[in-house]
Amino acid sequence: MKRSTYDALLSFLGGVSWAFVIVGAWVTFQSFVFLGIVPALMFTFIFLFLAIFLILVLETMSMYRDRHEIMLKQTALLEEIRDSVKNETATESM
């Protein structure tokens, strides 16, 4: 199955985003650990929530893309059915 450039880009960005979450959580924790464990964990959780929200945005874009492609296929099929019904009724009325 051939994937579009858009799908490949979304997959790549999804993988990079998860790597960013893992590395970013570690870096955030290490950056704020001098304030103490509790503030470092709080900042890390804030970072995680924001990063995972952005991953959700990417996944939503992918789902809408899939939905759009399916709706295009359904529309094409419905137009074919409509045209065949119109042709049938036109030949029957003659």
Side-chain angles (χ1 to χ4, degrees):
M1 186 168 134
K2 186 176 188 279
R3 294 178 52 183
S4 71
T5 305
Y6 183 78
D7 292 334
L9 179 66
L10 280 179
S11 294
F12 175 74
L13 288 175
V16 169
S17 297
W18 279 110
F20 177 73
V21 167
I22 293 168
V23 172
W26 178 252
V27 169
T28 303
F29 181 78
Q30 290 296 318
S31 298
F32 290 103
V33 79
F34 72 92
L35 296 174
I37 296 294
V38 174
L41 286 175
M42 283 183 4
F43 284 117
T44 303
F45 284 130
I46 291 170
F47 171 80
L48 285 173
F49 286 133
L50 290 174
I52 290 175
F53 173 75
L54 294 175
I55 290 174
L56 246 106
V57 169
L58 283 174
E59 290 297 321
T60 303
M61 288 171 60
S62 177
M63 284 179 13
Y64 277 122
R65 172 70 176 192
D66 292 342
R67 182 177 168 208
H68 178 69
E69 288 176 359
I70 290 171
M71 289 183 77
L72 286 176
K73 288 178 185 177
Q74 288 176 352
T75 303
L77 285 172
L78 286 172
E79 287 175 351
E80 277 183 39
I81 292 170
R82 182 192 63 194
D83 292 341
S84 67
V85 168
K86 278 184 182 180
N87 290 338
E88 265 184 36
T89 57
T91 56
E92 287 177 4
S93 64
M94 287 184 187

